Amino acid sequence: MKLTSKGRYAVMALADLAKFNSVNPVSLRDISLRQGISLDFLEQIFSKLKKHSIVKSIRGTHGGYILNKQPVEIKLANILNAVDEEVKTVQCKKDSKKGCNSKTSKCITHNLWDELEVHINLFFEQKNLNDLIDNSSESRN
């Protein structure tokens, strides 16, 4: 199981936005410089985040992006979902009549990986952007 760069960068960029979004919109260029993420990649990510109403764009010379909700209201699961990131620990489809490895039954460890997927998704459902901001502040003290 592996999160792609798209999912990781979306969470990183939004944590950055939450941290620096006190009053004014934050430009993608600033996020790019602070986090070391390609500006082109950020534009793709923020397009999806905007479609899912996680961020709002502000036009103008001092434009950029702001969060659409408070950081505590934005779950990591919502961010990952917005950028089409899927946590999947098994190769087979859950509702498929075919089992793992194209066999007729599930593999011997299927339930273990399936249970792990549930735990991971629950973890992302319970964590929000505010948790990330709090953790980054605590680690500097």
Side-chain angles (χ1 to χ4, degrees):
M1 198 276 326
K2 178 178 166 183
L3 286 176
T4 66
S5 295
K6 183 172 48 174
R8 289 185 13 257
Y9 288 169
V11 172
M12 284 172 60
L14 286 179
D16 183 281
L17 183 61
K19 186 173 184 173
F20 293 99
N21 179 28
S22 55
V23 178
N24 299 319
V26 178
S27 75
L28 292 183
R29 184 181 176 281
D30 289 345
I31 295 171
S32 172
L33 291 172
R34 282 192 294 263
Q35 300 303 322
I37 304 169
S38 148
L39 187 56
D40 290 340
F41 202 24
L42 280 175
E43 287 170 352
Q44 293 171 28
I45 290 169
F46 272 73
S47 171
K48 290 180 180 212
L49 294 171
K50 188 177 170 186
K51 267 187 210 164
H52 283 81
S53 301
I54 294 174
V55 296
K56 236 190 309 196
S57 64
I58 307 296
R59 293 178 167 244
T61 52
H62 298 290
Y65 285 88
I66 60 173
L67 295 175
N68 218 13
K69 299 177 187 173
Q70 293 299 312
V72 73
E73 299 175 275
I74 301 174
K75 297 176 183 180
L76 300 188
N78 299 126
I79 298 168
L80 295 173
N81 183 49
V83 296
D84 305 317
E85 187 72 33
E86 187 179 68
V87 174
K88 198 159 168 22
T89 57
V90 291
Q91 297 293 327
C92 57
K93 293 187 179 9
K94 291 194 186 273
D95 301 325
S96 174
K97 293 188 183 195
K98 253 189 177 175
C100 304
N101 305 321
S102 300
K103 295 180 181 175
T104 55
S105 63
K106 304 278 183 205
C107 69
I108 196 165
T109 58
H110 177 87
N111 292 339
L112 170 75
W113 304 123
D114 202 31
E115 188 179 340
L116 175 63
E117 185 176 315
V118 170
H119 284 292
I120 293 169
N121 285 318
L122 183 60
F123 175 81
F124 288 137
E125 193 65 40
Q126 292 172 341
K127 291 286 183 183
N128 61 57
L129 280 180
N130 204 54
D131 295 329
L132 299 179
I133 297 166
D134 288 346
N135 284 341
S136 79
S137 299
E138 288 171 12
S139 65
R140 290 192 179 148
N141 295 335

